Amino acid sequence: QFLLQDLVKNIHLFAFMAGYQPRTYKDTDEINIKTAELLGKLHEQLADAEMDSYELDMCLVRLVFCMFADDTGIFEKNIFWEYIDKFTEQNNHQILMHILAIFETLNTPYEKRGKRLEIPLAQFPYVNGNLFAEKLSYKTLQPEARKIILDICALDWGTISPAIFGSMFQAAMNPNERRNLGAHYTSEGNIQKVIRPLFLDDLYAEFDKIKHNVGLLQEFHEKLASLLFLDPACGCGNFLIITYRELRELELLVLKELYKDTEAIENIDSILKVSLLQFYGIEIDDFAGQIAQLAMWLTEHQMNIKFSQTFGKYYARIPLKDSAKIICTNSLEIDWDELLIEPKPVVEKKKIDIFPKGKRKPVKNFHTLFEPQPEPEPIIVEKPKQYNYILGNPPFVGHHLQNEAQKKQLNTILHDIKSSGVMDYVSAWFYKASAYIQNTKIKCAFVSTNSITQGEQASILWGVLFQKYKIKIHFAHRTFAWKNEAKGNAAVHCVIVGFGNFDLPTKRLFEYENSKGEPHELKVTNINPYLAPTNDLIVPNRRKPICAVPEMMYGSKPTDDGNFLFTDEEKEAFLAKEPQASSFIKPFISAKEFLNGQKRWCLWLVGIAPDAYRKLPEVMKRIEAVKNFRAKSIAETTRNYPNHALFRQVTQPDSDYIVVPRTTSENRKYIPMGFFSKTDIVSDTCQAIPNGDLYLFGLLTSVMHMTWVKYVCGRLKSDFRYSKDVVYNNFPFPLVPTEAQKKKVESGAKAVLEARALYPNSSLADLYDTLTMPAELIKAHNGLDKAVDACYSKVSFGTELERIEFLFQQYEAIVASLFVGDEAIIEDEDNA
């Protein structure tokens, strides 16, 4: 059953009346993934036939077009499917010969087709657009290829989404990636998070205001047709596809207002103004670029069908005329203006013959050819067209994972940024876009790993973008999970940053709860590099704290291949062989053991005379093994480390200390910290604060400090990566707490420790899990939070944003007080 208004979509169901064999379509659930999987299998068949990679990719792209055209009105319904089924049944190994014949027909204008062209081929339209221009070589395929092609034809291509299919199509070509195809596309919802605040919401707001004014509506229509979009890392075109489709949807609303009398529409080409020519993309992978080009054509046809259904006038742009301009090159190595420059028509120059025809005498005015000629008029080179919006999802690659070429590119782009070697690869696009948009009204928005808005990367990148390029952030989505509906795919934690070379009176900030769910939007007056609604500021690396607190230090690093470390069982076995070494075995405090209530031990030989452990053969075996392990290191300093009896990095506190894990889950409301003795050896997976007291412990385990951590701390995936140089040394501790206030904090801290002690068999991971945190511990932390808040302000903080705004203000005030005139009170070259 279907509504009468949908008859045009279902007319093929009545084909049996004319004697055609009915076709049964397969289930369309997960149609994109199923289709991509089948195309992946066909890819293998073509590869087995030894088709070269370029022709193979081109053949698949063309087949996708034909199958889509077969179901969506570009071709007559199912003519491609019918042709393949009928003409290859007896000679299925020659299926590619018939497919190539279809390709050639699609590339031949009607007037140039031979009169003897078989009717089954003659029914295919002329497509043009250079899609079928190149001839492909013939190969013999196995019978299995025919079955796969017919299976693909049996799917309803009318339900294919070009916006997500392209990425999966590309992934399907790799058997290793094909197992989780759904993980290879960007969901439309995530793309909308970029384009709506970048331009779409504003366009709809403008449309709503003027939709009843014909004159203004016509101007608005022209505006839609004039907007230019660039995705400088377009991949399979997802962002361009959705952007084009949304612009066509809005144009459709405009046309419905302008042409309420559909009979007034005489020339459809003249009223459809939004064009593929408004879209530009740069992609380094040639196949992905081809898919993007194809997907844009498919989307254009889908929107033409929607126009036809809305106005009752059939419309299709066949032959293909316009296309998006997508070039295959490295986006970081070209001038983005190159795409906007239209090729000049070639003008054939007339030859000047100074001798009349048939004669070999000089012409009378021959001497004038050698006289000085007047200087030609200067050629005025007009600036090319200008993009209105630059958007996309450039590649994320952390500095540890970058290959040599990427590191070189990043260094070239960020050449004037100190310490740029720690930056993520995506930062190059932010930097290049910021330089490109100078003195323009171009708006940009990129998806990025959240690393560029946290920790040291935020201060390194945005310090230059703000100061050198005067960039202002217009909108931002704080950290959220960039994922899709595929089963088992790992979510990447990202941010979206929209920016320009000019300011806006109101900015939009989207906040997420624990990186999940729908965002909560805030209208704010400013967004800083940490995506907080406060003044623009930078929190740099500092070697010393800005407040009068004990310095934090890194833990000791073994670099020993496990030879200095023991579990309980390993310790007992070792001491059974070497009982005299018992005094050298110390508790080893790493983040994993500390948080999970486990025990570990280490062989600690600091301060031990060499003759003492030379008498211990099992200890000497361990030292020898460490030496051999370090000798293979790629780091010269490790290979040449002078004393292999010691940890590679020895930074043990000489007093009792507070331990702070360097990495902890974002899902904990507080970072669990604890007190340890100077005889407990702290690992480099933790940081230590010697002489830390209850008051300091209370401040660091409060919601106030955690708010600072959430905005300033670096991240490992989404987990907190606590840094002493960025987080602790820059934290604005209370300036002048009274003794009574300090006592309340100490009392609150003691209550927290006592609440933990009520559950001796539970690890800190258990106690601080948001789902299992005991009521006593929650109550103790709430009391501590109130005591810490009172040290900062008499007014309570209602929201996290109020807290971070207050903390950034405190930070600015403290940093300003560290400078008198031009001299820094803190003797620290980096800080100065």
Side-chain angles (χ1 to χ4, degrees), residues 129-391:
N130 291 321
L131 179 58
F132 297 94
E134 292 185 57
K135 289 191 175 183
L136 305 181
S137 57
Y138 171 72
K139 303 290 182 182
T140 301
L141 300 182
Q142 296 299 317
E144 177 66 16
R146 178 179 182 273
K147 180 180 181 302
I148 294 172
I149 290 174
L150 291 175
D151 284 345
I152 300 172
C153 288
L155 297 168
D156 184 359
W157 281 77
T159 62
I160 292 287
S161 168
I164 64 175
F165 172 70
S167 296
M168 289 190 294
F169 180 19
Q170 185 184 21
M173 303 309 105
N174 185 326
N176 295 324
E177 295 183 10
R178 199 180 305 149
R179 288 173 297 181
N180 191 19
L181 286 175
H184 293 275
Y185 69 86
T186 300
S187 69
E188 181 175 334
N190 283 331
I191 295 175
Q192 293 283 357
K193 291 174 183 176
V194 175
I195 66 174
R196 294 204 71 88
L198 179 62
F199 67 89
L200 198 56
D201 287 343
D202 289 341
L203 290 178
Y204 269 95
E206 184 177 352
F207 169 72
D208 286 338
K209 288 181 181 179
I210 54 94
K211 63 182 179 181
H212 300 303
N213 185 315
V214 173
L216 294 178
L217 202 56
Q218 289 172 336
E219 291 179 10
F220 179 73
H221 194 189
E222 294 294 340
K223 174 182 175 178
L224 293 182
S226 69
L227 299 176
L228 302 184
F229 299 83
L230 168 68
D231 184 343
C234 71
C236 293
N238 299 26
F239 281 81
L240 295 176
I241 293 163
I242 297 296
T243 297
Y244 170 71
R245 191 200 69 198
E246 290 295 332
L247 227 58
R248 286 289 302 269
E249 293 276 8
L250 184 52
E251 181 184 40
L252 197 58
L253 294 179
V254 172
L255 294 175
K256 287 168 73 174
E257 293 293 333
L258 290 175
Y259 297 94
K260 294 181 179 179
D261 177 11
T262 58
E263 296 302 318
I265 301 176
E266 296 179 357
N267 185 344
I268 297 176
D269 276 317
S270 67
I271 68 167
L272 285 175
K273 298 181 181 297
V274 174
S275 163
L276 293 176
L277 296 173
Q278 298 170 236
F279 296 85
Y280 301 80
I282 306 171
E283 172 52 38
I284 197 168
D285 181 84
D286 183 62
F287 185 42
Q290 289 182 40
I291 296 170
Q293 190 76 266
L294 171 65
M296 291 293 281
W297 275 324
L298 302 189
T299 305
E300 179 188 42
H301 184 66
Q302 285 183 335
M303 294 312 300
N304 290 342
I305 291 174
K306 189 162 187 177
F307 171 87
S308 300
Q309 294 169 350
T310 302
F311 287 93
K313 293 178 178 288
Y314 176 74
Y315 179 69
R317 284 175 175 163
I318 294 292
L320 299 175
K321 297 178 181 178
D322 301 335
S323 63
K325 187 170 184 178
I326 297 172
I327 64 172
C328 178
T329 187
N330 191 311
S331 174
L332 298 178
E333 295 180 355
I334 70 162
D335 182 351
W336 293 348
D337 272 340
E338 287 184 22
L339 281 76
L340 295 171
I341 300 174
E342 299 295 335
K344 294 182 178 179
V346 178
V347 179
E348 185 178 351
K349 296 181 178 179
K350 293 182 179 181
K351 295 181 180 180
I352 300 176
D353 191 348
I354 60 174
F355 297 102
K357 288 183 178 181
K359 297 182 179 180
R360 305 303 302 166
K361 296 180 181 178
V363 295
K364 293 182 180 179
N365 296 326
F366 180 78
H367 64 281
T368 61
L369 297 174
F370 299 95
E371 292 179 357
Q373 300 296 311
E375 289 291 326
E377 292 291 327
I379 300 174
I380 300 175
V381 180
E382 295 184 1
K383 183 177 173 58
K385 297 179 293 186
Q386 190 174 90
Y387 305 111
N388 298 92
Y389 302 100
I390 299 174
L391 72 166

Side-chain angles (χ1 to χ4, degrees), residues 6-66:
D6 295 327
L7 175 61
V8 67
K9 301 178 186 177
N10 297 280
I11 196 68
H12 62 278
L13 298 176
F14 298 89
F16 69 90
M17 293 179 176
Y20 292 104
Q21 181 183 355
R23 297 284 179 178
T24 302
Y25 285 94
K26 295 181 181 179
D27 186 4
T28 58
D29 290 345
E30 300 181 352
I31 189 71
N32 296 283
I33 293 177
K34 287 183 178 180
T35 310
E37 286 174 341
L38 286 171
L39 284 168
K41 293 178 181 179
L42 180 57
H43 179 278
E44 292 173 355
Q45 291 290 322
L46 295 173
D48 289 344
E50 299 183 351
M51 182 177 283
D52 71 59
S53 60
Y54 176 79
E55 288 195 334
L56 194 159
D57 294 344
M58 180 63 73
C59 184
L60 284 171
V61 168
R62 291 177 181 181
L63 283 171
V64 168
F65 179 89
C66 289

Side-chain angles (χ1 to χ4, degrees), residues 56 95 166 184 294 333 499 512 524 557 584 627 709 723 746 766 772:
L56 194 159
I95 185 172
H184 293 275
L294 171 65
E333 295 180 355
F499 59 97
Y512 293 78
V524 298
K557 186 175 184 179
F584 305 149
K627 177 184 176 182
V709 169
S723 162
E746 291 171 354
D766 297 328
T772 59

